[in-house]
Amino acid sequence: MNLFSPLNLGDIVLPNRLVMAPLTRIRSGKSGVPGELVVLYYTQRASLGLIVSEGTYPSHAGQGFPGQPGLVEPEQLAGWKAVTDSVHAAGGRIVAQVMHAGRVTHEATTGGYPVVGPSAIAIDGSTRTYDGKKDYPVPHALTTDELAGIVAEFVLASKNAIAAGFDGVELHAANGYLLHEFLSPASNVRDDAFGGSPATRARFVIDVVTAVTLAIGADKVGLRISPEHNIQDVLETDSDDVKATYGVLVDGLASLDLAYLSVLHDDPRGEFVQNLRTRFAGVFLVNTGFGAITARDEALAIVRDDVADAVVVGRAAIANPDLVRRWRDDLPVNEPNPLTYYADSAEGYTDYPALAS
């Protein structure tokens, strides 16, 4: 197999093994409704094997950023339907990343909805809100009884994503957001059935994934994880604990027959990540991390050497709407402009040029 060969991912057939990473771009305004600019952005990148949308919130309390799109209100679903229709018309495939921010937000962003987390531990730092930068608040520690409501939010948002025309969903258990917060002993100090040991810390993520698969079908569900990423105060620095936690997690998912598992890690060839792949025993995606932009040669080698079934790329996909053609034919690439990653205009969003045909 090679980077440009087809891949069956659940019930989706990908024409190549280049996957666009979920990339926060905050172009959907205060309403969280994707507009024409968002439609154009995703449609431009339809030649990628699969597009994973930016993180979309499953409830107002789960919104992490100003300008983030949601999967809650009818207008938001209509906006996403315009996106998915356009991507499909261009021959593409797109899944929605369902992301609950957990404690990585502020009431000034959520519209007054309380900030929640597994435990009442605040992030050390500040966040951008609709009212300017503010310190992260101490989150409300979700009670055992309240967890069922969070599961229901993920289920409803996933159903909404399918209704809006997405080919599936990717549940976000990475990068320090709510599901990831449950996995880490730094952010989860609960003493109930969802905290303590690696097995109990992994339980809530397994419960969410299981409920979503029952609701929309396992062949439409992927999961993203980022063990040892150590971001947003979700620290995972004890190697033995990390191996135990993610081992339990992947073992708990293996029987579900998910569409894929996507792992963000800086050492995809290492024993830890490859052990997760063996235990998952399904379609396995890797993203090499935020340290450096994924290069063509690295992506080619990951698939050629059977490190993973597909490669997830972020910044290269931002700057090159025709990345598949450029990498397939070894053509020059555009360089991304970090100053325009998080903005509200077309600059650095839909104005990166494609090569002339």
Side-chain angles (χ1 to χ4, degrees):
M1 62 186 180
N2 65 70
L3 189 62
F4 306 104
S5 62
L7 174 66
N8 289 342
L9 190 150
D11 66 352
I12 312 169
V13 179
L14 310 189
N16 59 72
R17 296 165 187 251
L18 267 173
V19 176
M20 178 172 161
L23 298 157
T24 299
R25 305 307 308 274
I26 58 173
R27 258 77 169 188
S28 293
K30 196 166 186 177
S31 68
V33 176
E36 292 182 1
L37 199 63
V38 179
V39 173
L40 177 59
Y41 169 72
Y42 285 111
T43 304
Q44 288 174 333
R45 289 153 180 82
S47 62
L48 287 155
L50 178 70
I51 294 170
V52 183
S53 84
E54 59 210 280
T56 56
Y57 54 85
S59 63
H60 290 294
Q63 181 177 355
F65 315 107
Q68 182 185 7
L71 280 167
V72 180
E73 304 295 340
E75 296 81 6
Q76 294 170 345
L77 304 187
W80 278 122
K81 187 65 165 61
V83 172
T84 60
D85 283 351
S86 184
V87 169
H88 290 149
R93 289 135 296 272
I94 182 169
V95 299
Q97 189 189 62
V98 184
M99 172 198 138
H100 192 303
R103 63 180 184 166
V104 191
T105 190
H106 192 281
E107 288 89 346
T109 296
T110 66
Y113 287 86
V115 175
V116 301
S119 301
I121 303 172
I123 299 172
D124 182 16
S126 59
T127 181
R128 297 184 185 279
T129 78
Y130 290 111
D131 298 330
K133 293 195 76 173
K134 294 182 179 292
D135 289 342
Y136 284 109
V138 175
H140 163 68
L142 290 161
T143 67
T144 306
D145 290 341
E146 288 172 332
L147 293 182
I150 302 296
V151 174
E153 291 175 0
F154 274 95
V155 168
L156 180 57
S158 299
K159 289 181 175 179
N160 285 345
I162 300 303
F166 283 100
D167 297 301
V169 301
E170 176 179 284
L171 302 176
H172 196 0
N175 295 0
Y177 300 109
L178 182 65
L179 296 185
H180 196 189
E181 291 164 14
F182 272 87
L183 296 172
S184 166
S187 48
N188 179 353
V189 296
R190 302 171 70 93
D191 59 6
D192 63 357
F194 297 91
S197 70
T200 48
R201 280 185 275 114
R203 178 181 172 184
F204 185 61
V205 180
I206 294 171
D207 284 356
V208 169
V209 177
T210 301
V212 172
T213 63
L214 290 172
I216 68 171
D219 58 354
K220 291 181 172 60
V221 180
L223 178 70
R224 183 170 172 87
I225 58 175
S226 62
E228 300 180 307
H229 194 33
N230 296 325
I231 190 172
Q232 299 187 136
D233 284 5
V234 172
L235 305 179
E236 296 168 318
T237 56
D238 182 324
S239 177
D240 289 340
D241 184 85
V242 171
K243 290 177 182 177
T245 302
Y246 284 90
V248 169
L249 174 63
V250 172
D251 289 348
L253 301 174
S255 64
L256 296 178
D257 199 21
L258 297 179
Y260 66 89
L261 177 65
S262 181
V263 180
L264 172 67
H265 198 276
D266 62 5
D267 185 18
R269 296 174 181 268
E271 179 182 356
F272 169 61
V273 173
Q274 288 303 304
N275 178 257
L276 294 181
R277 184 187 188 190
T278 299
R279 294 166 79 155
F280 180 66
V283 176
F284 194 76
L285 282 53
V286 297
N287 190 171
T288 55
F290 296 144
I293 297 175
T294 301
R296 175 181 182 269
D297 288 348
E298 179 185 10
L300 289 169
I302 284 172
V303 177
R304 182 193 65 222
D305 298 343
D306 196 26
V307 174
D309 297 295
V311 181
V312 182
V313 295
R315 285 165 286 184
I318 285 177
N320 297 277
D322 53 349
L323 183 64
V324 173
R325 179 189 173 196
R326 291 176 189 259
W327 277 8
R328 184 191 62 217
D329 298 337
D330 197 11
L331 300 171
V333 295
N334 302 320
E335 295 300 320
N337 178 6
L339 298 178
T340 58
Y341 288 165
Y342 311 116
D344 58 5
S345 69
E347 183 184 2
Y349 189 57
T350 56
D351 61 352
Y352 285 106
L355 292 167
S357 55

